[in-house]
Amino acid sequence: MDNIRIKNIKNNFKKIYNRNCTLLYQAPGRVNLIGEHTDYNGGFVLPVAIDRCIAVAAKPNNENILRLHSLDFNNTVSCKLNNIKYDINNGWANYPLAVAKVLQEKGFKIKGADLVFEGNIPQGSGLSSSAAIEVVSCITFASISGLRISKKELPVLCQKAENDFIGVKCGIMDQFVITNAKKNSALFLDCRNLKYQHIPFNNKNISIVIANTKLKRKLVNSAYNERRKQCEEGVKILKYFFKNIKMLRDITTSQFEKYKFNLPSIIRNRCEHVVYENERVINALRLLKKNKINEFGILMNESHESLKNLYEVSCKELDALVYTAQKVEGVLGSRMTGAGFGGCTVTLVKNKYIDKVIKTMTKEYQSKFGIKPEFYISQTENGAGKI
Ligand code: GLA
């Protein structure tokens, strides 16, 4: 995070609360390279943290109150620690409040504090600004209150906050990578047991280009929760054939092929995506370890096809960005990233061709939809921590 932003958040803290802050923390956004809609099926993911973050300036206040101010929304929300409830009018502040509530439910004693939030992760774009605000809040509350929370436990608490308080039944990927990412690496995570590896991702000739459809996402939560239910439905039926299956992660593609026609067609398609996407992540991991980045890109393209046709979480705007990118010279692979229904695409591009890709994507997208897409060329970053 650059010095101008740091100065700005510190100065604003002083203006708002009339004293200096004592703590500064940040949490990055994330982009997932491959392994979409696999996390809540106990499967594999391969995301990176990006060089955009949410920052918090904070100081304990010796009262049993949380005062939360957002510079981006120019809005303050205060709440007594013993009376935290979801309130739609609290908007963004529901995320830190959700975390405070879950921490208390788990028996952690948290202290009152004044906080200022500021960020440059585009909101509602599928780059995990919500998970970032949860993680940065959790780290801040833990630090202020002297709590010891491990880097495995912290994302689980934040996920619980989102599941129970916000009502989005998200998986663990976002909160986990935001907490545990390492610069110049992708994070390979086994979402069933939370074992992970940092895989070097630092090819100097290749960049990650993120393209934002700028589409206001609608009904994402209900469609997301519906997909999750459909996967669980699939597991229930597959249990007749595989006694030990608990999640879709537990069967291989060949086992699935043998019995898939016992599933109703929509459920079959959803499960087929998940089972093959898990296999793609394992293959992608192998290729990345051998620095076979061209073949890695092909798997990204395949992942998009599957998300579009089988899982049905893409949309015409995402497809337009992806298919335009895939045709440009120097592009290794392109796909939608995150939950879908709008949000962003992720494209791996040889540096020489970045300008060409961005120009082509802008032109095609603008002529089709009359909207200028936004682009972020991102470095991989470390996970959340002190500034
Ligand atoms: C959202 C969720 C994640 C994951 C992705 C899809 O980002 O928060 O847990 O399920 O969608 O891969």
Side-chain angles (χ1 to χ4, degrees):
M1 191 165 143
D2 63 48
N3 287 334
I4 301 174
R5 272 180 74 192
I6 296 176
K7 228 176 162 179
N8 179 48
I9 194 169
K10 280 184 172 169
N11 289 343
N12 272 292
F13 188 96
K14 183 143 198 207
K15 245 201 250 160
I16 294 159
Y17 297 118
N18 223 353
R19 56 209 189 107
N20 288 322
C21 63
T22 47
L23 297 161
L24 277 176
Y25 285 97
Q26 64 79 30
R30 69 93 188 91
V31 72
N32 189 18
L33 298 176
I34 195 159
E36 218 66 83
H37 289 279
T38 47
D39 61 352
Y40 51 83
N41 289 300
F44 308 111
V45 293
L46 194 63
V48 302
I50 59 174
D51 55 7
R52 286 173 169 260
C53 69
I54 295 181
V56 170
K59 187 175 168 101
N61 61 18
N62 297 319
E63 300 165 67
N64 285 321
I65 288 179
L66 288 177
R67 284 191 202 92
L68 312 164
H69 181 90
S70 160
L71 295 180
D72 305 301
F73 293 100
N74 188 22
N75 156 257
T76 309
V77 171
S78 296
C79 189
K80 283 194 182 144
L81 277 170
N82 62 5
N83 191 27
I84 299 178
K85 291 191 191 88
Y86 181 85
D87 179 347
I88 195 157
N89 298 314
N90 286 342
W92 66 276
N94 281 310
Y95 292 93
L97 290 175
V99 171
K101 174 108 180 152
V102 165
L103 284 172
Q104 294 187 97
E105 279 171 4
K106 290 278 171 189
F108 291 108
K109 277 216 154 52
I110 55 174
K111 294 185 178 155
D114 298 338
L115 287 82
V116 170
F117 293 82
E118 177 269 355
N120 66 354
I121 307 171
Q123 284 147 21
S125 301
L127 299 177
S128 283
S129 58
S130 343
I133 193 169
E134 289 157 10
V135 169
V136 78
S137 302
C138 197
I139 293 185
T140 307
F141 297 149
S143 165
I144 281 176
S145 316
L147 312 175
R148 278 181 169 271
I149 302 176
S150 77
K151 285 190 159 197
K152 254 196 186 158
E153 195 183 355
L154 191 138
V156 175
L157 292 167
C158 292
Q159 180 199 16
K160 188 168 170 47
E162 181 136 357
N163 287 175
D164 297 356
F165 201 82
I166 309 291
V168 181
K169 304 286 174 207
C170 66
I172 190 68
M173 168 171 70
D174 305 343
Q175 290 83 357
F176 200 92
V177 65
I178 287 168
T179 308
N180 291 292
K182 205 168 113 186
K183 198 174 170 64
N184 293 324
S185 317
L187 187 138
F188 169 75
L189 175 66
D190 179 334
C191 299
R192 186 167 60 183
N193 56 22
L194 300 189
K195 289 203 170 123
Y196 66 95
Q197 294 170 43
H198 294 296
I199 313 297
F201 190 84
N202 54 1
N203 188 321
K204 294 282 169 284
N205 306 312
I206 288 159
S207 292
I208 300 172
V209 175
I210 299 165
N212 189 346
T213 56
K214 304 281 285 284
L215 202 65
K216 285 266 164 287
R217 298 194 298 170
K218 278 183 242 137
L219 299 174
V220 185
N221 296 353
S222 56
Y224 184 92
N225 293 347
E226 182 192 50
R227 294 297 181 284
R228 203 175 163 144
K229 266 209 197 116
Q230 290 166 334
C231 292
E232 286 161 9
E233 200 58 37
V235 170
K236 252 192 220 155
I237 300 170
L238 289 166
K239 263 208 169 109
Y240 290 113
F241 311 101
F242 305 101
K243 259 206 210 114
N244 294 331
I245 172 176
K246 291 201 176 73
M247 291 184 276
L248 286 175
R249 144 71 185 277
D250 299 324
I251 52 168
T252 62
T253 50
S254 51
Q255 289 173 320
F256 178 74
E257 284 301 327
K258 227 168 154 182
Y259 295 102
K260 71 179 187 182
F261 288 107
N262 295 291
L263 300 169
S265 63
I266 291 191
I267 306 273
R268 179 165 73 233
N269 287 347
R270 306 298 190 243
C271 295
E272 187 159 334
H273 163 74
V274 174
V275 173
Y276 278 86
E277 184 79 351
N278 276 327
E279 189 177 79
R280 273 190 289 275
V281 182
I282 297 298
N283 287 333
L285 176 72
R286 189 173 37 80
L287 293 168
L288 198 56
K289 283 181 171 169
K290 291 187 189 155
N291 205 17
K292 291 196 168 172
I293 201 83
N294 288 317
E295 287 99 321
F296 184 95
I298 295 169
L299 292 177
M300 289 174 75
N301 297 346
E302 287 175 11
S303 167
H304 185 80
E305 283 313 294
S306 177
L307 288 159
K308 171 178 181 281
N309 298 323
L310 298 175
Y311 218 65
E312 296 183 279
V313 289
S314 189
C315 58
K316 55 186 190 315
E317 289 83 355
L318 284 166
D319 292 342
L321 286 174
V322 163
Y323 294 138
T324 310
Q326 286 178 359
K327 278 186 235 132
V328 182
E329 194 183 353
V331 168
L332 307 174
S334 185
R335 56 183 285 275
M336 57 152 277
T337 185
F341 309 101
C344 289
T345 69
V346 58
T347 305
L348 290 187
V349 193
K350 292 188 183 153
N351 292 344
K352 267 206 321 210
Y353 297 93
I354 293 178
D355 280 352
K356 190 167 174 201
V357 174
I358 290 182
K359 266 193 200 135
T360 316
M361 286 170 90
T362 306
K363 195 169 156 217
E364 291 252 334
Y365 193 76
Q366 233 175 344
S367 77
K368 268 204 175 111
F369 304 108
I371 308 168
K372 203 171 172 190
E374 232 166 61
F375 293 90
Y376 323 106
I377 302 165
S378 185
Q379 306 298 317
T380 58
E381 268 302 337
N382 286 320
K386 250 195 183 134
I387 296 176

